[in-house]
Amino acid sequence: MASEENFMRAPAPSPKRTIYTEAMEIFHRAADLIGLDKRVRLELEEPDYEHIFYVTAKLKDRLVPLAPEEAKAFSDLSVTQVRNPDGLERLADGKIILNGRALLGSDVNIRRGHLRLPDGGVYQLVPGESQRFKAYRVQHNQARGPYKGGIRYHREVSLDLFKALAAEMTWKTAIAEVPFGGGKGGIQIDPRQYGREELENITLRFMYKLKSLIGPSIDIPAPDVGTNGDIMALMLRQYSDGERERHNMRGIVTGKDVRIGGSEGRVKATGQGVAYCIEDFYSERNETLRGKTFTMQGFGNVGSNGASILAGMGARLLAVNDADGSIFNGDGIDVPSLIAYVNDPKNLKKSVAGFPGAQRIEKKDLWEISADMLIPAALGGEITADVAERLKVKLIAEGANGPTTPEADRVLQKRGIDLIPDIIANAGGVTVSYYEWIQNKRMERWSESEVDQRLEKAMKRNYRIIRDISRNQPRKTDMHDSRAYCLGKTVDPRCAAMILALKRIEAHYLIEGFSQ
């Protein structure tokens, strides 16, 4: 039996390797190199706030398909003639949501809770129940401005992951020179398993719980994996509904539809930023992207837009992998056709799998395809040391957050594979989010060309500073000035990017001091 003095006492913390500690390895390495002020280091080592809460929602009735063996017991069940097929919402997992009065007025034939639809399948009717979802918001640092970071809906999220992603936003906003700090959050959910109205209800409830923690000048969410402009619109409505100055609150979220205060160029911004960095990488070598080949891991917002822009610059897409499949065409994949295939309403999984313009391959085969570039644009931790050993590319441009493990970084350096690190490569999204926020604040609207011009200058200026830090090449040009950031020694590109971020953040603490 535990002694009285140990009753309810938390165990002593034991150091362990986590997603967050792994992500912070580069922080500590860069902090050591620049001699980061000890108190500033303590301020940045852990988030300001870590919020965990729950949201509940009432789900709709579902039709769950029976396996062929189970369906044999209902072989004589007559077909239910559905008079309102629009009320049946098919999901990626094969289930069907019953919206509104989907079966009202239909000739319904039900036996023991089962019915047969005109597609021939037998389905079990499962009444909708209330469900609870775990939600998070991590606010890492606000020394440079309001917390800023995406909302992720994914089944594999955790507090530790959001801590790592929020910290990355702190570094990324500093590198992009936008006056924000870092935040990240979301819900532990697979959005593909829920209907439109269900996701709407879950999102509205999420923002209801989140409202006291955020604000247009406090913490500004944006889309991330599993969310989009539709989700941002719902969050805007819930946050501003009933407020007297609702129009002043459009900056509470970015990544909105342009018709409700979003910015031109925001949807493609992250992929556009990746493309600008790649273009500058080759431009320095007096080369263009024409004729270059690339492979893409992930084909969501970042991957599809990045592929489209690179193809427009003359590059050729050879292979794509996503969560549901991998495809390859040595002669090149037609990117517009692939995007149309993925966005076809019949493609419920929104996957590249089955695309007729390419052959199916295994995911492990993607890593061994010879190409000029690999663009990881999916989730973190995809490029492990083993994968890095097998790669046959010359350049990796990280469109995703944290796609390369620290062990893989060391392999890439040993093999001489060039890297454009994520905290600059995919900073286009938060940069244009800042432009959207400014437009909302000023009640302005900028053209797409104006947004693109600003973004190109910001991406290339800061990428060039990072290259100079990496090579210990301090200089001042018409575009950039790296003299204040070089260390007198060469460092790898990822460390160089972190050095730039930390020096910019440290300046705020050293000049402004600390609140008491």
Side-chain angles (χ1 to χ4, degrees), residues 437-453:
W437 183 72
I438 285 291
Q439 291 171 74
N440 292 161
K441 288 273 190 179
R442 297 176 178 172
M443 295 293 185
E444 292 180 355
R445 184 176 180 84
W446 302 352
S447 68
E448 184 175 352
S449 63
E450 184 177 0
V451 170
D452 286 348
Q453 287 169 11

Side-chain angles (χ1 to χ4, degrees), residues 14-25 160-161 163-164:
S14 56
K16 61 179 181 179
R17 187 177 179 84
T18 67
I19 295 171
Y20 184 64
T21 61
E22 186 175 283
M24 290 295 282
E25 285 182 16
D160 210 52
L161 173 64
K163 284 176 63 176

Side-chain angles (χ1 to χ4, degrees), residues 87 89 185 433:
E89 182 182 354
S433 276

Side-chain angles (χ1 to χ4, degrees), residues 180-224:
F180 291 139
K184 209 79 168 187
I187 304 176
Q188 194 173 64
I189 184 176
D190 183 348
R192 300 191 304 178
Q193 294 181 5
Y194 298 86
R196 289 185 299 273
E197 290 183 26
E198 291 176 331
L199 286 173
E200 177 176 348
N201 292 335
I202 292 166
T203 298
L204 294 177
R205 188 63 181 167
F206 177 48
M207 177 52 95
Y208 173 81
K209 289 285 192 80
L210 197 61
K211 184 172 181 177
S212 63
L213 306 176
I214 66 175
S217 297
I218 300 170
D219 185 350
I220 307 143
D224 194 73

Side-chain angles (χ1 to χ4, degrees), residues 70 88 160 199 237 277 422 433:
E70 296 175 300
L88 304 181
D160 210 52
L199 286 173
R237 186 184 85 197
C277 286
D422 52 355
S433 276

Side-chain angles (χ1 to χ4, degrees), residues 372-436:
D372 293 300
M373 301 169 276
L374 163 65
I375 303 171
L379 299 176
E382 290 285 350
I383 302 177
T384 62
D386 176 64
V387 168
E389 290 282 8
R390 293 154 51 202
L391 292 176
K392 297 179 181 177
V393 296
K394 302 168 187 174
L395 171 67
I396 295 175
E398 296 181 326
N401 293 315
T404 310
T405 66
E407 294 82 6
D409 265 340
R410 291 187 277 274
V411 174
L412 296 177
Q413 290 174 42
K414 181 185 70 175
R415 295 190 60 204
I417 297 176
D418 287 308
L419 174 75
I420 305 177
D422 52 355
I423 48 177
I424 179 61
N426 67 25
V430 72
T431 304
V432 177
S433 276
Y434 169 61
Y435 300 160
E436 178 177 333

Side-chain angles (χ1 to χ4, degrees), residues 148-423:
K148 185 80 184 78
I151 296 294
R152 179 173 294 197
Y153 285 5
H154 196 271
R155 62 183 180 276
E156 295 175 3
V157 298
S158 64
L159 179 63
D160 210 52
L161 173 64
F162 283 130
K163 284 176 63 176
L165 294 173
E168 175 149 318
M169 287 302 300
T170 297
W171 324 137
K172 194 183 301 183
T173 51
I175 284 173
E177 290 185 290
V178 296
F180 291 139
K184 209 79 168 187
I187 304 176
Q188 194 173 64
I189 184 176
D190 183 348
R192 300 191 304 178
Q193 294 181 5
Y194 298 86
R196 289 185 299 273
E197 290 183 26
E198 291 176 331
L199 286 173
E200 177 176 348
N201 292 335
I202 292 166
T203 298
L204 294 177
R205 188 63 181 167
F206 177 48
M207 177 52 95
Y208 173 81
K209 289 285 192 80
L210 197 61
K211 184 172 181 177
S212 63
L213 306 176
I214 66 175
S217 297
I218 300 170
D219 185 350
I220 307 143
D224 194 73
V225 176
T227 60
N228 53 27
D230 295 339
I231 298 295
M232 295 303 106
L234 294 171
M235 296 185 77
L236 167 63
R237 186 184 85 197
Q238 179 69 11
Y239 185 88
S240 62
D241 197 20
E243 298 290 344
R244 292 183 64 188
E245 297 185 356
R246 185 173 185 271
H247 55 282
N248 284 332
M249 298 180 178
R250 294 209 174 272
I252 181 56
V253 291
T254 58
K256 303 181 292 293
D257 189 296
V258 294
R259 294 168 293 182
I260 60 168
S263 175
E264 297 287 351
R266 174 60 185 88
V267 172
K268 67 173 185 176
T270 307
Q272 183 74 71
V274 173
Y276 281 144
C277 286
I278 293 173
E279 182 182 46
D280 206 58
F281 173 87
Y282 283 113
S283 176
E284 190 196 28
R285 291 159 172 75
N286 295 315
E287 298 178 40
T288 69
L289 281 161
R290 187 155 300 281
K292 295 289 190 295
T293 55
F294 68 102
T295 58
M296 183 75 69
Q297 203 255 324
F299 207 71
N301 175 274
V302 180
S304 60
N305 281 289
S308 178
I309 294 163
L310 290 171
M313 292 177 169
R316 186 158 46 97
L317 177 62
L318 299 182
V320 184
N321 159 262
D322 66 17
D324 297 291
S326 306
I327 58 173
F328 168 76
N329 186 334
D331 296 326
I333 295 171
D334 185 271
V335 176
S337 297
L338 179 59
I339 291 174
Y341 174 82
V342 168
N343 292 324
D344 189 319
K346 297 177 183 177
N347 188 346
L348 296 177
K349 292 185 176 181
K350 304 297 180 186
S351 174
V352 301
F355 177 62
Q359 68 184 73
R360 176 185 175 276
I361 60 171
E362 297 298 323
K363 181 179 179 180
K364 62 181 177 61
D365 299 326
L366 176 82
W367 311 123
E368 298 183 1
I369 293 171
S370 295
D372 293 300
M373 301 169 276
L374 163 65
I375 303 171
L379 299 176
E382 290 285 350
I383 302 177
T384 62
D386 176 64
V387 168
E389 290 282 8
R390 293 154 51 202
L391 292 176
K392 297 179 181 177
V393 296
K394 302 168 187 174
L395 171 67
I396 295 175
E398 296 181 326
N401 293 315
T404 310
T405 66
E407 294 82 6
D409 265 340
R410 291 187 277 274
V411 174
L412 296 177
Q413 290 174 42
K414 181 185 70 175
R415 295 190 60 204
I417 297 176
D418 287 308
L419 174 75
I420 305 177
D422 52 355
I423 48 177

Side-chain angles (χ1 to χ4, degrees), residues 502-512:
L502 293 185
K503 279 183 170 285
R504 285 178 171 165
I505 297 166
E506 183 185 42
H508 283 264
Y509 284 105
L510 297 185
I511 296 171
E512 297 171 8

